[in-house]
Amino acid sequence: GDKAFAQFLTDEIKEEKKIQKHKSLPKVSGGWELEVHGTEAKLVRKIAGEKITVTFNINNSIPPSAEEDTQEQQKPDEQEPELTSTPNFVVEVIKDDTKQTLVLDCHFPEDEVGHEGEEESDIFTIREVSFQPTGEADWKDTNYTLNTDSLDWALYDHLMDFLADRGVDNTFADELIELSTALEHQEYIKFLEDLKSFVKCQ
């Protein structure tokens, strides 16, 4: 059984490498520096008096696909539909002269992805906003967290503009999806390779 499993994995790795779009991770434009620790990625950008960091984790970032839909439309010779990784991401804005960090929790709404043609709509939404003490690893549940569900639209729009002014806009979000998808695929191939050596190990 293990031999067959290892052989299957070898073939699978070959296939996945064939469809791998990026041999190295795509860059995010706008002067963002990328740090990757396993499945967590962090983008950092410094602008006058501020440091902006965007953190996301590729685990559980691929939305469940509607299996039934894809089966019918697929032509026999087509590849499986492309998986896209749309992770939640956290934007932190740190001003040099305050002890507080503004934290915005953003996500890609599932039904929004792939609706072209609506020029005005944002591809990501802000879910929660809070202040956290700068430099502390653990966020405090005792800090007030603003949930945007019941938020005044004008305030919400200002928050989106605030992010856009700092380089977190639709273009950024598109590039983040691209980066996350490449990272997810890279980690998946690495996982298959690790699994193969694990299975082969006697």
Side-chain angles (χ1 to χ4, degrees):
D2 284 2
K3 265 206 183 75
F5 191 9
Q7 188 48 54
F8 168 78
L9 287 167
T10 305
D11 297 342
E12 195 68 5
I13 291 164
K14 259 207 213 87
E15 280 308 301
E16 289 296 334
K17 282 193 168 158
K18 244 196 276 179
I19 61 171
Q20 191 173 17
K21 273 213 290 213
H22 302 280
K23 291 296 169 246
S24 61
L25 293 174
K27 294 263 184 289
V28 176
S29 59
W32 294 88
E33 308 259 312
L34 174 66
E35 298 167 26
V36 180
H37 304 284
T39 58
E40 188 174 86
K42 186 182 199 173
L43 291 156
V44 183
R45 180 172 189 239
K46 290 189 172 75
I47 51 176
E50 291 182 2
K51 176 177 163 188
I52 296 106
T53 67
V54 177
T55 320
F56 64 91
N57 195 315
I58 56 164
N59 280 336
N60 306 319
S61 65
I62 293 184
S65 59
E67 286 298 308
E68 297 75 55
D69 300 353
T70 51
Q71 296 298 306
E72 290 158 27
Q73 298 156 4
Q74 240 176 307
K75 298 178 182 68
D77 57 345
E78 266 187 63
Q79 280 291 339
E80 287 174 22
E82 226 174 271
L83 295 176
T84 306
S85 160
T86 51
N88 298 342
F89 59 98
V90 175
V91 183
E92 293 172 64
V93 180
I94 303 157
K95 288 193 187 264
D96 292 349
D97 48 6
T98 68
K99 298 272 183 291
Q100 285 185 314
T101 299
L102 183 65
V103 178
L104 301 104
D105 197 340
C106 304
H107 76 140
F108 295 99
E110 273 175 38
D111 51 348
E112 289 299 314
V113 176
H115 285 312
E116 299 303 315
E118 291 176 31
E119 277 309 294
E120 286 306 297
S121 75
D122 291 298
I123 59 175
F124 69 95
T125 59
I126 302 171
R127 234 190 338 207
E128 291 181 347
V129 187
S130 68
F131 278 112
Q132 298 295 345
T134 301
E136 293 200 15
D138 295 322
W139 290 345
K140 296 184 171 40
D141 286 339
T142 51
N143 286 8
Y144 179 74
T145 299
L146 175 69
N147 191 309
T148 56
D149 288 347
S150 52
L151 199 58
D152 177 320
W153 275 105
L155 176 53
Y156 182 83
D157 285 344
H158 277 299
L159 285 168
M160 288 299 275
D161 291 343
F162 177 84
L163 284 181
D165 289 343
R166 281 149 184 83
V168 179
D169 52 14
N170 278 348
T171 307
F172 172 84
D174 273 332
E175 293 181 358
L176 185 130
I177 290 177
E178 182 98 345
L179 168 65
S180 182
T181 302
L183 187 59
E184 203 283 333
H185 199 208
Q186 184 178 296
E187 285 295 314
Y188 175 59
I189 292 173
K190 190 167 156 300
F191 172 79
L192 292 178
E193 286 169 340
D194 290 347
L195 187 57
K196 186 176 97 179
S197 6
F198 187 83
V199 169
K200 281 177 123 170
C201 173
Q202 292 304 327

